[in-house]
């Protein structure tokens, strides 16, 4: 998942045996159980927002992670349950939901195991990936198989276009259904007449139809709330931008989120501090500090993208990666951006001071706790360098909080628009799509001066970045190689200075003096200098559950990897070469590689290695295409990997359908993955003489049998 839904709300309460509690106006609050499975915090934040809103609608929410199975019992649950579940990898449930999924997938469970369970489910995903919202779909399907019943239609939120486009109306509809199905008429009438939140009055709405399309329909529960008596008529003649709206938004009354309660008390102390040890930031992982022993630039100096290969010495670790596995790198934010952000907050002179965090007494945020990813006694520099994702796109709850600390009326109005329901399009266009950060916002709205606690409360944890292994432990014992493009973000009006990727830019700078432009010139490391001059990084394993070579070496292997997508396949081929050397009696099936790049002389990476694999028979067929090589407009040579797949459609069909071969695809999910899927569908339709629907079913069956495997990213 690409963006993080900010942890804006936190409502959790200890589970009690009663479902009803006294509330204002003589009505009762009905208990609601909210369970979430999250990978990077989005699902947790949404679950907590549901908890925040529950209080306003006559419910009290118990909120738990799906990993905390000792705190809830779905077999005996009688109150309504809401699941919020994200998707990770290539359609897997998030890590903290894996034990729950394993438990409910027990084949010994009876069909009526959850017969008394009534639930609603919100699935999060990204439509640029093949298995859209699959983490939630897995749980949804299994609960239905075990007798559970929907009280509300499942929602599918798409991070590709903006989660909030589905999340907000889905939550609005949730309260309508809950009130109609789980409160009697008397209680519902009382709730709708006495529950108030500031100037917002929640009125009774008709029940949501059963066939509601939650992916396209918006629900407006609230009357318009005018936050500013006068419209900004001067905006009518201006082009809309981050700082300026146009009519009709500039003249609209606005529905804005409730102000999220702050909960942290922050003190800055002039005393000794300790540096953050990156290994402590991931207590659930075994983190190792390893040196970079080799660095090489694989692309020419004038290539469109700069591609680097680094080699790590993992001989003193317990890391054991199979080809196809990946690992994560613990990386810092750019030091320049950290200093600039703290300057914006007027804290640059205190950058090395200690920060003391406490939960505010009397905070309205239930279950408020200190961020677990910020070690005690850390300095400002350490917190903003290693703990907080300062490049994250601010969520609407964050922007809503910033409104309170903005003094200029026009700037305040614009921030209100950007976090409002009416401003969804502007939020997506000017903030989400352009990856605007908190620093960019503070630059664009100079009268906004938020206190330190607001940033710490709303900025998510800085996530470690995953990379695929590009080597085999059989070929390079004690070593781990990986490949990456140095990501570059172009400048534009709201961000005049170009940026590099957080991790790739840091790695490139780290090995700048080690990098050579030709593959033959790998850095030689003198043993006496080892450990003194070599840069070191922190890593931990992220084992793949399926993206591995087939156990049966005799079946064909087809690999599709344009650009740096070739990385895991270099590890595959190294591994196969050594297996063939060590086991000459084994039969090995055909091995095909479809590779694509822009230019033969600029970014044909691993060219020499691939030639060697062909010569020694490890690689049976290498099909390479170049999308930018030919200047002849009439050239019909294949330009992309999917074009080459079509050329060899009969061979592809034979290997996958008749010989039970395995197909692996690695690379960009946004364009390449969809094109490859469509191409395979066309190939099967033509070669098997079936219609497109049957061809799609054939492709799906290959996925189900783990013959078609993907390692893709956005």
């Amino acid at each position: 998942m690409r963006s993080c839904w900010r942890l804006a709300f936190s409502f959790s309460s200890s589970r009690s045996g009663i479902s009803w509690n006294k509330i204002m106006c003589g009505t009762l609050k009905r208990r609601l159980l909210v369970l979430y499975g999250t990978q990077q915090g989005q699902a947790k934040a949404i679950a907590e927002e549901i908890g925040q809103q529950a209080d306003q609608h006559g419910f009290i929410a118990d909120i738990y992670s799906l990993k905390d199975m000792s705190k809830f019992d779905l077999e005996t649950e009688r109150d309504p349950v809401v699941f919020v579940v994200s998707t990770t990898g290539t359609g897997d449930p998030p890590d903290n939901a894996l034990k729950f999924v394993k438990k409910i997938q027990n084949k010994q469970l009876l069909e009526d195991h959850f017969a008394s369970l009534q639930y609603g489910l919100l699935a999060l995903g990204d439509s640029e990936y093949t298995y859209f919202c699959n983490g939630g779909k897995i749980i949804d399907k299994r609960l239905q198989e075990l007798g559970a019943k929907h009280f509300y239609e499942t929602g599918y939120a798409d991070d590709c276009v903006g989660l909030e486009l589905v999340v907000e109306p889905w939550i609005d509809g949730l309260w309508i259904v809950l009130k109609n199905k789980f409160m009697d008429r008397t209680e519902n009438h009382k709730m709708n007449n006495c529950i108030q939140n500031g100037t917002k009055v929640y009125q009774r709405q008709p029940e949501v139809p059963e066939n509601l399309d939650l992916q396209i329909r918006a629900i407006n529960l609230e009357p318009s709330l005018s936050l500013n008596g006068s419209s900004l008529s001067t905006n009518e003649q201006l082009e809309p931008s981050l700082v300026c709206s146009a009519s009709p938004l500039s003249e609209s009354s606005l529905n804005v989120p409730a102000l999220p309660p702050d909960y942290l008390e922050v003190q800055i102390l002039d005393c000794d501090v300790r540096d953050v040890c990156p290994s402590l930031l991931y207590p659930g992982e075994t983190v190792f500090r390893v040196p970079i022993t080799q660095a090489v630039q694989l692309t020419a100096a004038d290539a469109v993208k700069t591609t680097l290969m680094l080699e790590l010495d993992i001989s003193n670790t317990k890391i054991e990666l199979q080809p196809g596995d990946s690992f994560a790198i613990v990386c810092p934010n750019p030091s320049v951006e950290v200093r600039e952000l703290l300057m914006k907050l007027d804290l640059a002179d205190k950058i090395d001071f200690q920060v003391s965090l406490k939960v505010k007494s009397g905070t309205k945020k239930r279950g408020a706790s200190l961020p677990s990813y910020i070690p005690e006694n850390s300095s400002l520099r350490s917190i903003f360098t290693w703990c907080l994702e300062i490049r994250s796109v601010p969520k609407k709850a964050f922007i809503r909080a910033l409104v309170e600390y903005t003094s200029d009326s026009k700037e305040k109005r614009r921030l209100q628009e950007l976090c409002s329901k009416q401003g969804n399009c502007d939020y997506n266009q000017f903030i989400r799509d352009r990856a605007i950060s908190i620093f960019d916002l503070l630059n664009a709205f100079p009268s906004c001066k938020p206190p330190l606690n607001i940033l710490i409360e709303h900025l998510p944890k800085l996530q470690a970045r995953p990379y695929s292994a590009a080597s085999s432990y059989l070929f390079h014992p004690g070593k781990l190689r990986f490949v990456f493009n140095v990501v570059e973000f172009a400048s534009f009006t709201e961000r005049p200075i170009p940026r590099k990727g957080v991790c790739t830019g840091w790695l490139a700078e780290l090995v700048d003096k080690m990098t050579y432009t030709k593959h033959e010139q790998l850095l030689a490391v003198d043993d006496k200098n080892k450990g003194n001059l070599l840069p070191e990084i922190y890593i931990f394993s992220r084992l793949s559950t399926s993206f591995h070579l087939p156990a049966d070496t005799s079946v064909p292997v087809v690999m599709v990897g344009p650009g740096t997508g070739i990385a895991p396949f270099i590890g595959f081929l190294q591994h196969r070469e050594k297996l063939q050397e060590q086991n000459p009696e084994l039969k090995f099936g055909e091995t095909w590689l479809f590779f694509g790049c822009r230019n033969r002389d600029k970014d044909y990476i691993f060219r020499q290695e691939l030639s060697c694999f062909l010569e020694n028979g490890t690689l049976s067929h290498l099909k390479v295409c170049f999308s930018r090589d030919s200047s002849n407009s009439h050239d019909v040579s294949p330009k992309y990997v999917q074009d080459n797949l079509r050329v060899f459609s009969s061979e592809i069909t034979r290997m996958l359908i008749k010989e039970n071969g395995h197909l692996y695809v690695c690379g960009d999910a946004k364009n390449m993955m969809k094109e490859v899927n469509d191409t395979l569908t066309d190939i099967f339709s033509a070669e098997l003489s079936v219609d497109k629907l049957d061809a799609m079913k054939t492709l799906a069956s290959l996925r189900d049998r783990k013959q078609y495997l993907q390692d893709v990213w956005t």
Side-chain angles (χ1 to χ4, degrees):
M1 303 285 291
R2 183 168 47 196
S3 61
C4 287
W5 189 288
R6 185 52 237 139
L7 305 185
F9 304 97
S10 177
F11 262 56
S12 60
S13 59
S14 59
R15 181 177 181 181
S16 62
I18 60 174
S19 300
W20 301 80
N21 294 296
K22 297 284 184 179
I23 64 167
M24 57 188 297
C25 300
T27 61
L28 298 171
K29 281 190 178 179
R30 180 73 189 261
R31 178 178 171 274
L32 173 69
L33 177 61
V34 183
L35 303 175
Y36 65 86
T38 190
Q39 191 70 22
Q40 295 186 332
Q42 299 100 315
K44 179 181 179 183
I46 296 169
E48 290 179 335
E49 183 167 352
I50 292 172
Q52 170 74 13
Q53 294 188 23
D55 187 59
Q56 304 161 2
H57 291 277
F59 290 83
I60 184 167
D62 287 348
I63 305 176
Y64 302 112
S65 167
L66 283 170
K67 70 178 180 181
D68 298 326
M69 290 186 289
S70 63
K71 298 180 180 179
F72 60 88
D73 185 0
L74 296 184
E75 297 175 21
T76 60
E77 186 61 63
R78 295 297 181 269
D79 291 320
V81 180
V82 173
F83 293 86
V84 185
V85 185
S86 65
T87 300
T88 189
T90 52
D92 300 318
D95 292 346
N96 68 348
L98 290 177
K99 289 184 179 179
F100 174 79
V101 171
K102 183 177 181 181
K103 180 180 179 180
I104 65 174
Q105 287 182 335
N106 185 343
K107 295 183 179 180
Q108 296 182 352
L109 296 179
L110 301 178
E111 292 182 357
D112 62 350
H113 186 76
F114 289 135
S116 62
L117 180 63
Q118 298 186 72
Y119 75 99
L121 189 144
L122 177 62
L124 313 182
D126 188 326
S127 60
E128 290 181 347
Y129 288 80
T130 302
Y131 300 99
F132 175 60
C133 286
N134 202 52
K137 289 177 180 177
I138 289 172
I139 293 176
D140 200 7
K141 179 182 178 182
R142 185 55 178 158
L143 291 177
Q144 292 283 300
E145 292 173 348
L146 295 175
K149 301 293 188 297
H150 283 131
F151 72 79
Y152 184 37
E153 185 177 352
T154 298
Y156 302 96
D158 187 358
D159 195 36
C160 179
V161 297
L163 294 173
E164 66 280 353
L165 295 181
V166 168
V167 171
E168 291 179 1
W170 191 89
I171 294 176
D172 287 347
L174 173 67
W175 303 123
I176 299 173
V177 175
L178 283 171
K179 287 182 182 181
N180 281 278
K181 292 190 175 182
F182 294 96
M183 286 185 178
D184 63 34
R185 293 181 180 274
T186 302
E187 291 154 358
N188 205 341
H189 179 74
K190 289 181 179 180
M191 287 301 307
N192 286 318
N193 281 285
C194 76
I195 296 179
Q196 297 186 1
N197 179 28
T199 59
K200 299 182 184 180
V201 180
Y202 293 87
Q203 300 177 350
R204 184 173 182 175
Q205 301 288 327
E207 184 170 350
V208 178
E210 292 297 329
N211 62 349
L212 171 65
D213 186 348
L214 288 168
Q215 297 192 65
I216 61 175
R217 177 176 172 181
I219 304 169
N220 185 6
L221 284 180
E222 305 164 1
S224 295
L225 174 63
S226 178
L227 295 168
N228 192 327
S230 61
S231 63
L232 300 179
S233 59
T234 55
N235 286 349
E236 293 181 16
Q237 306 302 321
L238 299 176
E239 285 293 324
S241 67
L242 175 63
V243 298
C244 177
S245 63
S247 180
L249 180 59
S250 61
E251 299 175 341
S252 298
S253 297
L254 303 174
N255 300 84
V256 298
L259 179 66
D262 57 352
Y263 64 95
L264 287 181
E265 180 181 310
V266 181
Q267 288 184 309
I268 300 177
L269 310 174
D270 186 4
C271 59
D272 292 338
V273 295
R274 66 180 186 186
D275 291 331
V276 169
C277 179
S279 63
L280 300 177
L281 300 176
Y282 294 86
E285 306 289 348
T286 304
V287 182
F288 296 98
R289 184 178 181 179
V290 297
I292 301 173
T293 53
Q294 290 184 353
V296 57
Q297 181 169 324
L298 301 179
T299 49
D302 59 345
V304 174
K305 296 181 180 179
T306 299
T307 304
L308 301 179
M309 182 185 72
L310 305 187
E311 181 183 84
L312 308 177
D313 183 351
I314 60 171
S315 59
N316 294 322
T317 74
K318 296 181 180 179
I319 293 177
E320 296 180 355
L321 296 180
Q322 294 285 334
D325 285 336
S326 62
F327 66 100
I329 296 177
V330 183
C331 60
N333 288 308
S335 58
V336 172
E337 293 179 34
V338 170
R339 287 195 301 269
E340 289 178 343
L341 178 56
L342 292 176
M343 286 178 65
K344 280 288 179 186
L345 300 174
D346 297 325
L347 293 172
D349 58 336
K350 298 180 175 64
I351 191 169
D352 290 313
F353 284 21
Q354 178 181 319
V355 177
S356 173
L357 299 178
K358 295 181 181 179
V359 175
K360 282 186 175 180
S361 60
T363 179
K364 294 182 180 179
K365 178 172 180 174
R366 291 190 181 184
S369 61
L370 298 179
S372 60
Y373 44 86
I374 299 181
E376 293 182 6
N377 305 323
S378 297
S379 67
L380 266 177
R381 186 195 303 272
S382 293
I383 290 174
F384 280 85
T385 300
W386 291 101
C387 305
L388 302 175
E389 190 92 57
I390 65 174
R391 289 265 193 95
S392 65
V393 175
K395 298 303 177 186
K396 288 187 175 182
F398 194 178
I399 297 174
R400 175 65 183 89
L402 294 178
V403 169
E404 302 303 302
Y405 304 98
T406 304
S407 57
D408 182 89
S409 60
K410 291 183 178 179
E411 292 180 9
K412 177 175 287 194
R413 165 70 191 198
R414 183 54 176 156
L415 289 174
Q416 290 167 341
E417 291 170 351
L418 290 169
C419 70
S420 70
K421 291 185 178 180
Q422 290 76 10
N424 271 341
C425 290
D426 277 25
Y427 173 84
N428 285 332
Q429 180 179 354
F430 300 116
I431 293 183
R432 184 180 181 275
D433 294 346
R434 297 191 181 185
I436 292 296
S437 69
I438 179 59
F439 178 71
D440 300 325
L441 276 184
L442 296 181
N443 268 338
F445 299 91
S447 77
C448 182
K449 300 291 183 182
L452 181 58
N453 71 292
I454 295 298
L455 271 71
I456 296 177
E457 290 173 13
H458 286 274
L459 288 172
K461 176 182 179 180
L462 178 59
Q463 296 289 332
R465 271 44 175 183
Y467 293 89
S468 299
S471 59
S472 164
Y473 64 89
L474 294 179
F475 205 90
H476 295 291
K479 306 294 183 182
L480 171 61
R481 291 184 173 185
F482 67 104
V483 178
F484 60 92
N485 290 326
V486 180
V487 179
E488 301 200 22
F489 302 99
S491 61
F492 50 87
T493 303
E494 291 83 4
R495 191 170 65 225
I497 301 176
R499 291 174 178 168
K500 293 184 178 180
V502 170
C503 191
T504 62
W506 172 64
L507 290 172
E509 182 178 351
L510 203 59
V511 302
D512 182 56
K513 295 180 180 179
M514 302 174 64
T515 305
Y516 288 73
T517 57
K518 292 184 178 180
H519 198 131
E520 293 80 5
Q521 295 177 297
L522 291 176
L523 177 72
V525 180
D526 193 334
D527 287 339
K528 68 180 180 181
N529 292 325
K530 195 171 183 179
N532 294 327
L533 301 177
L534 297 178
E536 296 180 321
I537 62 175
Y538 290 85
I539 67 172
F540 57 88
S541 300
R542 298 176 75 251
L543 304 183
S544 170
T545 56
S546 57
F547 201 81
H548 294 143
L549 285 166
D552 182 357
T553 61
S554 66
V555 300
V557 171
V558 181
M559 300 167 285
V560 181
T564 55
I566 196 176
F569 303 137
I570 296 299
F572 277 17
L573 293 168
Q574 290 178 352
H575 206 71
R576 294 271 287 204
E577 179 178 327
K578 287 299 180 182
L579 287 177
Q580 287 177 332
E581 290 178 4
Q582 297 171 3
N583 304 277
E585 75 285 356
L586 286 180
K587 179 183 177 181
F588 287 85
E590 294 178 66
T591 307
W592 290 61
L593 174 61
F594 293 85
F595 174 65
C597 58
R598 287 178 174 82
N599 188 282
R600 183 186 304 270
D601 298 321
K602 295 180 180 181
D603 52 10
Y604 187 173
I605 61 177
F606 293 108
R607 185 173 183 174
Q608 182 177 337
E609 288 86 343
L610 294 176
S611 177
C612 291
F613 289 135
L614 275 174
E615 290 177 7
N616 62 33
T618 303
L619 185 59
S620 308
H621 302 275
L622 173 62
K623 305 302 174 184
V624 185
C625 52
F626 307 98
S627 61
R628 303 291 188 272
D629 249 2
S630 177
S631 58
N632 184 355
S633 60
H634 299 291
D635 184 14
V636 293
S637 300
K639 289 182 176 294
Y640 303 101
V641 289
Q642 60 267 23
D643 298 330
N644 253 335
L645 288 173
R646 292 182 188 277
V647 173
F648 297 95
S649 59
S650 60
E651 289 86 350
I652 296 293
T653 305
R654 168 181 58 81
M655 289 186 287
L656 297 181
I657 305 301
K658 297 181 180 180
E659 300 176 7
N660 297 317
H662 286 225
L663 172 64
Y664 302 85
V665 181
C666 181
D668 169 39
K670 186 174 183 179
N671 298 310
M672 182 277 297
M673 192 67 253
K674 182 180 184 304
E675 293 291 341
V676 169
N677 282 336
D678 291 345
T679 298
L680 291 170
T681 300
D682 292 343
I683 286 174
F684 291 152
S685 178
E687 295 293 330
L688 300 176
S689 300
V690 298
D691 60 27
K692 188 173 182 179
L693 179 59
D694 285 338
M696 292 173 66
K697 290 180 179 178
T698 299
L699 189 60
S701 68
L702 290 176
R703 292 194 192 101
D704 293 341
R705 296 197 300 268
K706 304 298 182 183
Q707 285 180 247
Y708 179 24
L709 298 160
Q710 301 166 339
D711 180 5
V712 294
W713 61 83
T714 53

